[in-house]
């Protein structure tokens, strides 16, 4: 059985090979296997009232394979595989077996499928990035597809993620995936949890761990606290937390392992933000990504209902209606940027003024309410992967407890964070550095329909606003700019996405920057994600540095 | 220049004195600077801006410049500099982008003089002109450098680096108009202060940010840079292209670098993260710091030499909120604790050994290494400066070579090449390998193969090979594996810079030639007989033997080559009895097996003098093959322990499943790894690959899967080929075309590394038989190895 399993995985993997011939053979094997199973179920299952009850095990097996074929037919970057998969599914259907169909529309709930790059129609560069990703993982996930709007960034992102998960590192493979699960579960991101549960099992992880953090080794349980703080209130992280992890006798972490874990945690926290922020839908072959029910039964995809988005069409219409009112939005924004650029040289705010502006922005960010009453129904019970579910983002500056502001000039990623990470986990510092810079500096000099716009100021405002929410201050930034450039609905979106991403809704996504392209909104999401990751990393690394000195 | 000399004389009159001392600051320091007469130091940081007087025994707080109830961000300093000409003038760089000057001569409490808020981002560095009173330069995160005339309200010129943030700016000490700027993207630019439009030159100094740079105080063209890549580099700027002349690798990113006054080759560095020490390096000895100051408990943020002509006082400020004065005499010298001995094996068994001269006694009867120390050039030419030197480490380097005519590992290479490990029936493989071993004069090995064949072959197949197959061990040739000879090699590497030219001396015959293991050797020589006895008796494993030989050979190294009686004897003793002994041991161990053993034993004398030989008729065909497994297992372990891991692995592969389960995986893996390692050291790539392929350990077979990526550039457009295949996706041409037949090469592709033309292996080989130029017609004289 094991060997059979092994062979099967190998075959699926071979579909990602660059060699057309080995793809062909693998495909051949798979179709034989499918046919064999179809035959073994017996003649036309439609005659049997409930095929699931009788055929049991073998049917569900077959269904898995069929779902996977469906995924391949949509997502595989190779034409030949896609065609063969479609053909095979058709054949199976002709034999009278019920085949699955995709649920939802495309990789993202927020972005219409036709806007997103089709796997079949991409420029050679993106094609080769997709092929690489496919060969490495055996899948092309929805996240990558959405990021495909920005191939330069995608490349850097995939390289980093691949290094973190697959290449040399102090932690063993199943630990890495488990930490990914822990981090994603903190934000109830069932998409990422599902993805990594599969990976975790594939690299030989113990399925007992998946029953909850209690089932995992003590060492990982100890990480729960760090995970919790880092995800929601990183400014509370102190060297005592680090010491607690490093000095736990037989369950203690080494510094290098801890850095690896911290990078993974922050990576998945921020990736969860991105997932929700772009409304990534479940993978086609996973639960909730496909259905065997015929289309007539339900019009809406399950997750849309779960997230209160059942009335998408209605909203869309309403959205269109509003566009006319706000058509000047982009121009206003550009005008403001221009003004800021010009007047900055003339009048200079006093120092006190600057300081209060930061404080004001900080307190104001508190008042920006995140969506309150949106109830989220995680499809898998993800809460068992972490403890203390009531712990969430609390605003940085609450009355009563005063946490000192984090000054970037005293501890910056470029000077301090990089050196520490690279020292303990070689090459990762470099990869992260490239990724941050890529996200921060990415621009096509366009804004909605306008060309040749210098967006530096806008990008910096977004970046600094996010850091501001985490209490990180840039001495040399005038926080008044944020108020000028970011309007309220945008702030609501940012705040929700960064602080409690699970509450992001389609309405929020649509209500900010209405005239901007989807690719620009994805760009904003990338900025948010990287800024959040850097903020968390800075706090974690500062705590580690303090521990070390 | 005139002013400079005046300053010098003025300072020369008042000698500084003091001791290592420190004081607590209220807050972490970001930078420090001294006034020109070395009596006061200013400390600046986010929450501190104070002047301390430097007294004999202690620091005394002189002035707090941070005044006012509401401290503004202008006080939050990233850098500070005290003017070296005008003692009342200070400048600070604020984290909010302001450049502030301070006049200590002001009567009011607030000494702030001018405020420039032209930079948009944090100012990282301010720098006064060394001789001009009113000229101030600043470098900021926004990528601009600005030059201010302090008599005016705003900057006189702005320099745009056209790249990322400026991390450091430094006026040249000698060239009035020149300044250097270092950038976050790794570049260093040189500017002429009169030409704000464009830099004079630019070069990439580091990967990642260059945090600091410093001009040499005396040498006009030298610039030291330090970066996040943990390197300190010294550049010679006098040539057309900036040339890296020294490079020091530190253990953490370099935050500050400062040349030491009056010492041409010394510079001090401190790090930005993790490492709290201050190091003083001699750039010519980049591997070990000349001196270390280890007082700080958190990263050092500012270092400055107290006086520009006094090399003995160093001041430093740190994140741990202390200000230190370090005395050079109190510095720790890592070199004193270093271990100056080194030992290394060469590929062909050469052994190099370097040790302190003092450890090696002076008398020796050896000839110097014929080449002198040509291979090891002396690096240090500096005149000895007895007051401040590295400890005189003069080491002697001895190189022991194996003789050329008997490459002692020849047998290994040949065996590896000739052995067949698969692809034929088991019996044939064994026969073949036995033959190989026999031809290489390794009778024991040969016999082992034969025995294996007999043990594990099907009885039915046994009829084919007749008894004449059995090896004849009559004349027991010597295994030549270890009869290597010592060519008498020794040289002395004089590593002390103080004695630079002394190296001639050890070419003089009278000079003491140093024998590193002299004493030891004599001892061994005296007891050689004993040693032999020991060898035979105790079955030392090969590793021991190996190292012993080296030592012993060192003794025998004379001008004439001694016939090495010791070795043949030793091998005889070792080779012959070991197997029977081994077998007898088995017998004793397992009475169950003894019957069979005895049988085997009694087969012995047919036509050879050997103690072991097997003839077929007496072999009991009823014994199942796995009956022998314990014996074979022990045999394999025996070979492996002897160091002949080749045998162990070869047998393992040939026997395959017959024996695999008998030996635990870890041991197998260990053997495989050792053998593969050996093969690769001998550059037997094909064999090693075959072994990897044939091995049954999963840990080994996966070796073939690692680093199988090969990056290629398209031969047309010279860009990396991003997708795999034969066609470059940029220029849509076939990428790898054979220069001879102009077809696409699939399979073995060989190309000249000089002109990067090439093609099918055979075609190129044929071509080169008749031509020496490149077949592509590029005119390159291709070289292939």
């Amino acid at each position: 059985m094991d060997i059979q399993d092994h062979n099967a995985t190998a075959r699926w993997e071979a579909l990602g090979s660059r060699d057309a011939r080995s793809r062909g053979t693998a495909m051949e094997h798979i179709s034989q296997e499918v046919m064999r199973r179809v035959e073994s179920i017996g003649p036309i299952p439609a005659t049997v009232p409930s095929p699931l009850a009788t055929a049991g095990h073998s049917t569900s097996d077959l269904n898995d394979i069929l779902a996977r074929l469906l995924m391949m037919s949509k997502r595989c970057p190779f034409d030949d595989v896609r065609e063969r998969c479609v053909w095979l599914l058709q054949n199976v259907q002709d034999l009278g077996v019920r085949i699955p169909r995709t649920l939802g529309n495309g990789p993202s709930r927020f972005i219409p499928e036709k806007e997103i790059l089709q796997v079949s129609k991409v420029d050679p560069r993106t094609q080769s990035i997709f092929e690489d990703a496919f060969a490495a993982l055996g899948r092309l996930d929805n996240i990558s597809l959405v990021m495909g709007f920005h191939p330069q960034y995608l490349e850097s992102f995939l390289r980093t993620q691949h290094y973190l998960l697959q290449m040399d590192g102090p932690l063993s493979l199943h630990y890495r995936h488990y930490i990914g699960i822990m981090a994603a579960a903190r934000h109830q991101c069932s998409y990422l949890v599902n993805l990594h549960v599969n990976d975790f099992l594939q690299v030989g992880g113990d399925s007992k761990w998946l029953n909850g953090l209690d089932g995992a080794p003590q060492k990982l349980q100890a990480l729960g606290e760090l995970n919790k703080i880092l995800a929601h209130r990183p400014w509370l992280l102190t060297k005592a937390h680090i010491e607690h992890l490093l000095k736990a006798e037989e369950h203690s972490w080494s510094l290098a392992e801890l850095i690896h874990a911290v990078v993974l945690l922050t990576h998945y926290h921020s990736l969860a933000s991105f997932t929700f922020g772009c409304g990534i839908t479940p993978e086609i072959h996973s639960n909730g990504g496909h259905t065997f029910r015929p289309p007539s039964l339900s019009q809406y995809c399950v997750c849309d209902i779960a997230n209160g988005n059942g009335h998408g069409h209605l909203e869309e219409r309403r959205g269109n209606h509003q566009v006319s009112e706000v058509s000047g939005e982009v121009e206003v924004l550009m005008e403001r940027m221009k003004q800021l650029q010009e007047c900055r040289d003339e009048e200079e705010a006093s120092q006190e003024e600057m300081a209060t502006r930061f404080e004001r922005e900080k307190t104001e960010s508190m008042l920006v309410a995140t969506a309150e009453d949106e109830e989220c129904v995680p499809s898998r019970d993800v809460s068992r992967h972490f403890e203390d579910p009531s712990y969430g983002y609390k605003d940085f500056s609450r009355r009563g407890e005063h946490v000192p502001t984090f000054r970037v000039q005293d501890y910056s990623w470029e000077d301090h964070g990089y050196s520490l990470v690279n020292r303990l986990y070689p090459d990762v510092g470099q990869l992260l550095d490239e990724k941050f810079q890529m996200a921060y500096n990415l621009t096509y000099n366009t804004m909605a329909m306008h060309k040749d716009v210098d967006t530096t100021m806008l990008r910096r405002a977004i970046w600094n606003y996010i850091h501001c929410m985490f209490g990180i201050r840039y001495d040399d930034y005038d926080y008044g700019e944020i108020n000028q450039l970011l309007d309220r609905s945008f702030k609501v979106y940012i705040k929700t996405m960064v602080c409690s991403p699970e509450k992001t809704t389609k309405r929020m996504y649509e209500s900010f920057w209405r005239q901007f392209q989807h690719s620009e909104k994805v760009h904003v999401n990338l900025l948010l994600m990287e800024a959040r990751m850097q903020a968390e990393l800075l706090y974690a690394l500062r705590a580690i540095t303090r521990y070390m000195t | 220049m005139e002013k400079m000399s005046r300053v010098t004389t003025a300072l020369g009159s008042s000698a500084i004195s003091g001791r290592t001392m420190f004081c607590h600051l209220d807050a972490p320091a970001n930078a420090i600077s001294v006034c020109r007469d070395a009596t006061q130091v200013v400390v600046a940081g986010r929450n501190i801006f104070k002047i301390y007087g430097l007294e004999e025994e202690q620091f005394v707080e002189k002035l707090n410049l941070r005044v006012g109830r509401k401290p503004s961000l202008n006080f939050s300093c990233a850098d500070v500099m005290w003017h070296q000409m005008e003692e009342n003038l200070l400048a600070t760089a604020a984290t909010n982008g302001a450049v502030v000057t301070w006049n200590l001569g002001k009567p009011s409490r607030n000494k702030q003089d001018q405020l420039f808020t032209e930079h948009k981002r944090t100012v990282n560095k301010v720098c006064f002109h060394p001789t001009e009173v009113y000229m101030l330069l600043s470098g900021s995160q926004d990528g601009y450098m600005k030059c201010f005339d302090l008599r005016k309200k705003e900057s006189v010129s702005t320099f745009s680096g056209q790249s990322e943030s400026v991390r450091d700016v430094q006026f040249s000490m000698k060239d009035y108009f020149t300044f250097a700027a270092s950038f976050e993207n790794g570049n260093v630019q040189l500017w002429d202060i009169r030409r704000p439009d464009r830099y004079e030159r630019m070069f990439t100094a580091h990967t990642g940010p260059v945090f600091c740079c410093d001009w040499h105080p005396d040498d006009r063209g030298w610039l030291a840079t330090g970066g996040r890549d943990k390197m300190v580099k010294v550049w010679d700027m006098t040539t057309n292209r900036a040339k890296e002349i020294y490079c020091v690798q530190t253990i953490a990113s370099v935050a500050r670098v400062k040349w030491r006054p009056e010492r041409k080759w010394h510079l001090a560095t401190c790090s930005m993260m993790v490492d709290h020490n201050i190091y003083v390096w001699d750039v010519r000895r980049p591997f070990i710091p000349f001196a270390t100051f280890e007082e700080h408990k958190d990263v050092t943020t500012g270092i400055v030499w107290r006086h520009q002509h006094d090399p003995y006082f160093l001041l430093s400020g740190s994140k741990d909120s202390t200000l230190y004065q370090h005395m050079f005499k109190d510095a720790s010298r890592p070199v004193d604790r270093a271990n100056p001995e080194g030992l290394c094996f060469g590929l062909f068994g050469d052994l190099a050994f370097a040790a302190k001269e003092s450890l090696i006694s002076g008398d020796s009867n050896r000839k110097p290494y014929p080449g002198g120390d040509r291979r090891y050039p002396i690096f240090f030419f500096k005149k000895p400066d007895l007051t401040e030197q590295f400890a005189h480490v003069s080491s002697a380097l001895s190189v022991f070579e194996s003789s050329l005519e008997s490459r002692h590992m020849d047998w290994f290479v040949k065996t590896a090449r000739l052995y067949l490990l698969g692809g034929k029936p088991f019996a044939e493989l064994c026969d073949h390998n036995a033959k190989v071993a026999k031809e290489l004069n390794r009778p024991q090995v040969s016999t082992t193969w034969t025995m294996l064949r007999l043990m594990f072959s099907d009885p039915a197949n046994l009829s084919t090979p007749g008894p004449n197959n059995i090896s004849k061990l009559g004349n027991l040739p010597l295994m030549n594996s270890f009869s290597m000879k010592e060519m008498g090699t020794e040289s002395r590497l004089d590593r002390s810079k103080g004695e630079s030219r002394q190296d001639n001396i050890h070419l003089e015959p009278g000079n003491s030639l140093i024998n590193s293991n002299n004493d030891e050797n004599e001892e061994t020589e005296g007891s050689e007989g004993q040693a032999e006895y020991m060898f035979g008796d105790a079955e030392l494993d090969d590793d021991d033997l190996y190292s012993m030989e080296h030592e012993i050979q060192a003794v025998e190294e004379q001008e004439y080559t001694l016939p090495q009686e010791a070795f043949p004897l030793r091998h005889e003793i070792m080779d012959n009895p070991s197997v029977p002994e081994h077998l007898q041991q088995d017998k004793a161990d397992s009475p169950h097996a003894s019957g069979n053993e005895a049988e085997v034993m009694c087969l012995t004398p047919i036509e050879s003098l050997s103690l072991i030989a097997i003839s077929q008729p007496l072999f009991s065909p009823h014994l199942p093959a796995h009956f022998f497994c314990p014996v074979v297992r022990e045999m394999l372990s025996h070979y492996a322990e002897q160091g002949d891991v080749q045998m162990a692995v070869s047998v393992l592969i040939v026997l395959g499943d017959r024996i695999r389960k008998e030996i635990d995986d870890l041991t197998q893996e260990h053997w495989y790894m050792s053998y593969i390692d050996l093969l690769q050291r001998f550059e037997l790539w094909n064999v090693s690959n075959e072994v990897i392929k044939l091995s049954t350990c999963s840990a080994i077979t996966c070796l073939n899967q690692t680093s199988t990526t090969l990056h290629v550039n398209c031969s047309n457009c010279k860009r990396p080929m991003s997708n795999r295949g034969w066609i470059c996706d940029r220029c849509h041409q076939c990428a790898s075309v054979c220069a001879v037949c102009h077809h696409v090469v699939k399979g073995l592709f060989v190309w000249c590394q000089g002109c990067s033309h090439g093609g099918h292996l055979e075609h190129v080989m044929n071509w080169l038989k008749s031509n020496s130029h490149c077949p592509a017609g590029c005119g390159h004289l291709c070289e292939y190895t």
Side-chain angles (χ1 to χ4, degrees), chain B residues 22-33:
Chain B
F22 75 99
C23 75
H24 283 291
L25 311 170
D26 312 327
N30 276 350
I32 60 172
S33 184

Side-chain angles (χ1 to χ4, degrees), chain B residues 220-348:
Chain B
R220 179 176 294 262
W222 283 18
L223 180 72
T225 59
R228 193 171 70 179
D229 58 359
K230 306 179 189 173
M231 308 242 238
V232 180
K233 290 178 179 175
V234 179
W235 304 85
D236 183 358
M237 312 293 281
T238 50
T239 47
N240 279 334
R241 285 188 57 193
K243 201 174 90 194
E244 182 188 325
I245 43 178
Y246 295 107
C247 178
V248 177
Q249 176 93 46
T250 68
I251 57 168
S253 57
V254 182
R256 312 262 171 182
V257 55
K258 283 272 175 269
W259 287 99
R260 189 174 174 204
E262 310 283 297
R263 291 292 180 274
K264 185 174 181 189
W265 279 283
H266 289 188
L267 48 78
T269 65
C270 66
S271 137
M272 189 167 272
M273 275 298 287
V274 192
D275 187 17
H276 311 156
N277 298 343
I278 302 164
Y279 301 103
V280 178
W281 301 87
D282 186 314
V283 290
R284 298 160 303 172
R285 297 202 54 176
F287 305 109
I288 192 160
F290 174 65
T292 317
F293 300 103
E294 294 162 340
E295 280 86 1
H296 284 297
K297 305 258 179 328
D298 202 337
V299 286
T300 311
T301 48
I303 47 173
V304 61
W305 295 94
R306 184 169 161 190
H307 189 277
Q308 51 181 319
H309 294 285
D310 187 333
Y312 300 108
F313 294 82
L314 180 71
L315 299 168
S316 68
S318 157
K319 278 249 167 88
D320 65 1
S321 306
T322 56
L323 174 66
Y324 258 93
Q325 169 169 283
H326 309 277
M327 295 292 294
F328 220 85
K329 62 175 164 46
D330 297 333
S332 75
R333 305 293 184 97
V335 76
D336 295 342
R337 283 167 292 162
N339 181 11
E341 276 96 46
L343 179 76
C344 189
F345 265 114
L347 177 61
F348 294 104

Side-chain angles (χ1 to χ4, degrees), chain B residues 59-273:
Chain B
F59 291 99
V60 178
E61 185 178 328
K62 282 275 170 73
L63 189 61
N64 188 356
L65 289 157
R66 219 177 140 78
V67 291
R69 254 167 289 123
K70 258 193 171 176
S72 91
L73 273 180
N74 290 344
F75 286 104
S76 162
C77 306
D79 191 35
V80 63
M81 177 146 181
W82 203 316
H83 203 295
Q84 292 303 298
M85 300 302 303
E86 171 59 68
E87 59 187 14
N88 278 332
L89 195 53
L90 290 162
T92 57
T95 49
N96 64 352
V99 174
V100 194
T101 60
W102 311 80
N103 186 352
L104 300 181
K106 269 193 172 182
S108 66
R109 255 184 85 226
N110 190 349
K111 309 285 186 193
Q112 182 170 331
D113 193 16
Q114 295 244 51
L115 176 70
F116 304 99
T117 51
E118 293 181 30
H119 284 295
K120 294 194 183 71
R121 306 280 307 266
T122 300
V123 179
N124 286 319
K125 191 76 189 173
V126 284
C127 182
F128 279 114
H129 195 277
T131 53
E132 272 308 315
V133 176
Y134 296 110
M135 201 187 282
L136 174 68
L137 190 66
S138 66
S140 155
Q141 198 76 13
D142 60 13
Y144 292 101
M145 294 144 279
K146 285 176 187 286
C147 183
F148 302 96
D149 184 331
L150 300 185
R151 290 162 297 194
K152 293 181 182 164
K153 287 266 177 253
E154 52 198 42
S155 63
V156 286
S157 43
T158 301
F159 310 86
S160 166
Q162 302 290 346
S163 62
E164 281 178 78
S165 316
V166 187
R167 296 310 297 242
D168 200 356
V169 283
Q170 291 288 342
F171 275 110
S172 166
M173 297 299 228
K174 298 283 175 184
D175 295 317
Y176 186 90
F177 295 111
T178 310
F179 72 88
S182 72
F183 290 85
E184 205 147 82
N185 60 2
N187 288 343
V188 170
Q189 295 178 353
L190 243 54
W191 289 80
D192 187 316
I193 201 86
R194 296 162 296 185
R195 286 193 55 193
D197 54 328
R198 208 193 129 68
Y199 54 82
E200 299 287 299
R201 68 209 289 197
M202 175 166 86
F203 60 93
T204 303
H206 294 265
T207 52
V210 188
F211 287 136
C212 51
C213 59
D214 195 32
W215 290 94
H216 197 282
D218 301 316
D219 214 311
R220 179 176 294 262
W222 283 18
L223 180 72
T225 59
R228 193 171 70 179
D229 58 359
K230 306 179 189 173
M231 308 242 238
V232 180
K233 290 178 179 175
V234 179
W235 304 85
D236 183 358
M237 312 293 281
T238 50
T239 47
N240 279 334
R241 285 188 57 193
K243 201 174 90 194
E244 182 188 325
I245 43 178
Y246 295 107
C247 178
V248 177
Q249 176 93 46
T250 68
I251 57 168
S253 57
V254 182
R256 312 262 171 182
V257 55
K258 283 272 175 269
W259 287 99
R260 189 174 174 204
E262 310 283 297
R263 291 292 180 274
K264 185 174 181 189
W265 279 283
H266 289 188
L267 48 78
T269 65
C270 66
S271 137
M272 189 167 272
M273 275 298 287

Side-chain angles (χ1 to χ4, degrees), chain B residues 385-605:
Chain B
D385 175 355
L386 291 174
T387 53
E388 291 210 353
Q389 274 306 329
F390 271 107
H392 280 238
V393 187
S394 54
S395 307
L397 178 77
S398 323
V399 178
F400 305 99
E401 276 180 356
S402 56
S403 69
L404 290 172
E405 69 264 30
S406 66
R407 279 282 161 76
H408 59 282
M409 288 300 269
D410 271 1
W411 62 272
F412 178 87
V413 178
K414 279 193 184 139
T415 315
R417 285 223 180 90
L418 296 173
Y419 267 3
L420 281 180
L421 301 177
K424 283 191 178 173
F426 171 72
E428 274 179 53
L429 290 178
C430 285
D431 283 343
H432 175 89
N433 293 345
K435 217 172 100 207
V436 170
K438 203 173 109 192
E439 275 162 11
L440 288 168
N441 291 333
R442 303 177 67 204
Q444 190 196 348
V445 173
S446 165
T447 316
T448 310
W449 281 113
T450 318
M451 284 169 68
L452 283 172
R453 182 179 67 77
L454 293 171
M455 286 174 179
F456 288 95
S457 291
D458 292 340
N461 294 347
L462 272 175
S463 50
T464 15
N468 56 341
N469 238 343
I470 292 158
S471 74
K472 297 175 184 168
L473 298 178
N475 51 348
L476 254 187
L478 305 168
M479 221 170 37
N480 67 344
S481 53
F482 291 104
S483 57
M484 63 171 186
K485 230 178 307 157
E486 163 68 27
M487 277 298 273
T489 57
E490 169 157 306
S491 79
R492 224 178 73 179
L493 175 62
D494 185 347
R495 285 169 62 198
S496 100
K497 55 186 168 189
E499 305 175 8
S500 59
R501 287 291 104 196
Q502 279 189 3
D503 51 273
N504 299 329
I505 295 172
H506 48 104
L507 292 176
E508 292 168 21
N511 189 42
S512 51
L513 295 165
I514 297 121
N515 180 355
S516 53
N517 351 12
N518 213 14
D519 299 346
E520 211 182 337
N521 286 337
E522 259 155 26
E523 228 176 80
T524 327
E525 214 161 14
S527 59
E528 205 163 347
Q530 262 180 338
E532 275 165 40
Y533 178 67
M534 198 177 72
F535 270 119
D537 201 38
E539 284 193 23
L540 276 190
D541 63 46
D542 251 344
D543 280 338
D544 278 2
L545 178 64
Y546 202 60
S547 55
M548 283 294 271
E549 271 167 3
H550 274 286
E551 281 160 15
I552 289 164
Q553 272 163 8
V555 188
E556 287 168 356
E557 156 206 79
Q558 301 285 349
E559 276 165 82
Y560 52 94
T561 34
L562 264 179
Q564 309 199 319
E565 321 93 318
F567 293 123
L569 225 68
R570 203 176 299 149
H571 281 295
E572 216 160 49
I573 291 168
M574 199 181 74
D575 282 344
N576 255 332
S578 62
V579 174
E581 225 171 54
H582 179 58
L583 290 174
Q584 260 145 19
Q585 255 169 17
D586 276 348
K587 195 163 72 175
D589 284 350
S590 57
H592 170 67
S594 66
N596 175 52
E597 296 292 346
E599 224 170 359
V600 174
M601 291 293 286
C602 74
L603 306 175
T604 315

Side-chain angles (χ1 to χ4, degrees), chain A residues 18 124 128 131-132 341 344-345 348 351-352 354 407-411 413-420 422-423 430 433 437 440 460 473-476 545 548-549, chain B residues 30 46 70-74 76 95-97 117 120-122 141 164 167 184 209 211 228 230 251-253 272-276 297-299 319 722-724 729:
Chain A
R18 298 224 178 225
S128 96
E131 280 173 19
D132 276 336
Q341 198 92 50
R344 210 158 18 158
D345 303 328
E348 196 58 52
Q351 294 309 311
E352 292 72 28
M354 298 286 260
R407 310 273 188 157
V408 165
Q409 269 74 12
D410 292 346
Y411 198 99
W413 163 256
E414 287 81 12
D415 294 2
H416 305 90
Y418 171 92
S419 305
L420 183 63
N422 233 22
R423 184 187 181 89
Q430 190 63 39
D433 199 37
Q437 290 206 7
Y440 191 85
R460 194 168 166 215
R473 179 173 175 190
Y474 290 78
D475 280 348
D476 52 1
T545 310
M548 286 167 74
T549 51
Chain B
N30 276 350
R46 174 171 291 284
K70 258 193 171 176
S72 91
L73 273 180
N74 290 344
S76 162
T95 49
N96 64 352
T117 51
K120 294 194 183 71
R121 306 280 307 266
T122 300
Q141 198 76 13
E164 281 178 78
R167 296 310 297 242
E184 205 147 82
F211 287 136
R228 193 171 70 179
K230 306 179 189 173
I251 57 168
S253 57
M272 189 167 272
M273 275 298 287
V274 192
D275 187 17
H276 311 156
K297 305 258 179 328
D298 202 337
V299 286
K319 278 249 167 88
S722 47
N723 62 344
R724 280 148 233 185
D729 55 354

Side-chain angles (χ1 to χ4, degrees), chain A residues 451-497:
Chain A
K451 292 212 161 52
D452 296 326
V453 191
D454 181 9
T455 57
T456 319
M457 196 181 262
L458 195 55
R459 278 179 280 134
R460 194 168 166 215
I462 297 171
W463 188 277
N464 288 359
Y465 182 63
I466 294 158
H467 278 191
C468 172
M469 278 189 295
F470 285 101
I472 297 176
R473 179 173 175 190
Y474 290 78
D475 280 348
D476 52 1
Y477 187 67
D478 174 7
Y479 285 84
E481 279 184 28
I482 289 179
N483 253 350
Q484 301 270 321
L485 298 176
L486 313 184
D487 59 16
R488 196 172 163 76
S489 56
F490 189 32
K491 278 185 180 171
V492 170
Y493 178 72
I494 294 183
K495 170 120 192 208
T496 316
M497 225 193 94

